[in-house]
Amino acid sequence: MENVFVVTGASRGIGAATAALAADAGYRVVRASRSAEESVGDRGWDARCDVSSWDSVQDLMARVESRWGRIDVVFANAGVSVDTSFVSTAGAKPSEWTNMVVTNVCGPAFTARAAMPALMRSGGHLVLTGSAAGRGVRPGNLYSATKWAVTGLAQAIRAEAVGTGVRVTVVQPGLVDTDAIPPSRADDPKLAPEDVGRAVLYAVSQPSTVDVNEILIRPTGQAAHR
């Protein structure tokens, strides 16, 4: 039975690039996103899923395991970003912050909880998208705080998963060339989405005795504080 790789936030950017690389590596790939038009083939599946909804994520994992018999890798990648400030009216209004926090924090938590039974059965691998921004202080940046949360979440899941055979990796990219780049950083060095995808494939391709806990990856020339 062929291994199955589930990617959330797979409609563009890091998710789309990683899904393509996983397919090239021989996985059956589930490309999950809120905007997906449901389509199932022998090796690829475009699946609709809203990671901010526990019911939606639970339903996705149940459908995948029922149809394809197993889940071997889950890449909890879906996320959003808005500009924020705590001392001025710049950026998004506070009423717009909730979706980002729920998507970026509850989303990977829901994904992990829904996927873990299948991953324990397969001895699989959970990968979460964090951020280099989640490793240091970014003034007024709530997005950065959500990615601090993802790092803590990965550590908490890994600690609880000891003895289950499930490996847990958090990938922390620096600036990536996607449509989420703020205008102020348009000229900064950037990673291609495929650069991050290759880091994910590196982690999941290691022997079952090797658990790559964290990968920090920045474009050459990006300052550590950015």
Side-chain angles (χ1 to χ4, degrees):
M1 189 177 294
E2 293 173 295
N3 287 0
V4 176
F5 197 125
V6 179
V7 183
T8 67
S11 63
R12 61 185 186 275
I14 293 170
T18 304
L21 290 167
D24 290 343
Y27 287 94
R28 284 182 164 184
V29 179
V30 180
R31 299 175 292 266
S33 69
R34 287 183 296 186
S35 60
E37 294 292 332
E38 284 280 342
S39 176
V40 184
D42 182 53
R43 304 194 59 79
W45 184 342
D46 293 314
R48 183 167 296 174
C49 179
D50 179 356
V51 299
S52 68
S53 164
W54 162 247
D55 289 341
S56 181
V57 179
Q58 187 179 39
D59 176 69
L60 172 67
M61 300 304 168
R63 287 192 291 139
V64 172
E65 195 175 25
S66 175
R67 186 179 187 97
W68 279 352
R70 60 188 296 131
I71 299 175
D72 298 276
V73 181
V74 173
F75 183 25
N77 167 72
V80 297
S81 175
V82 298
D83 290 335
T84 57
S85 172
F86 298 99
V87 299
S88 77
T89 58
K93 298 177 182 178
S95 59
E96 301 174 55
W97 298 357
T98 302
N99 178 62
M100 178 176 68
V101 174
V102 173
T103 300
N104 291 5
V105 181
C106 290
F110 290 162
T111 302
R113 179 63 183 83
M116 194 57 70
L119 293 177
M120 287 192 291
R121 284 188 280 272
S122 67
H125 202 136
L126 175 68
V127 184
L128 301 93
T129 298
S131 174
R135 297 175 62 93
V137 175
R138 304 293 189 270
N141 193 321
L142 183 57
Y143 171 81
S144 172
T146 68
K147 292 304 184 177
W148 275 78
V150 172
T151 298
L153 176 64
Q155 293 173 354
I157 297 168
R158 184 184 308 114
E160 189 178 14
V162 168
T164 66
V166 176
R167 296 180 289 171
V168 180
T169 300
V170 60
V171 177
Q172 300 167 318
L175 191 63
V176 181
D177 192 6
T178 69
D179 56 10
I181 294 175
S184 62
R185 303 194 63 186
D187 296 327
D188 288 2
K190 305 174 190 68
L191 296 165
E194 291 78 10
D195 297 330
V196 185
R198 284 190 291 272
V200 174
L201 268 292
Y202 164 78
V204 303
S205 68
Q206 298 307 301
S208 60
T209 53
V210 177
D211 189 359
V212 179
N213 297 167
E214 295 186 14
I215 299 178
L216 172 61
I217 174 174
R218 293 189 180 100
T220 301
Q222 179 178 326
H225 66 280
R226 296 304 301 272

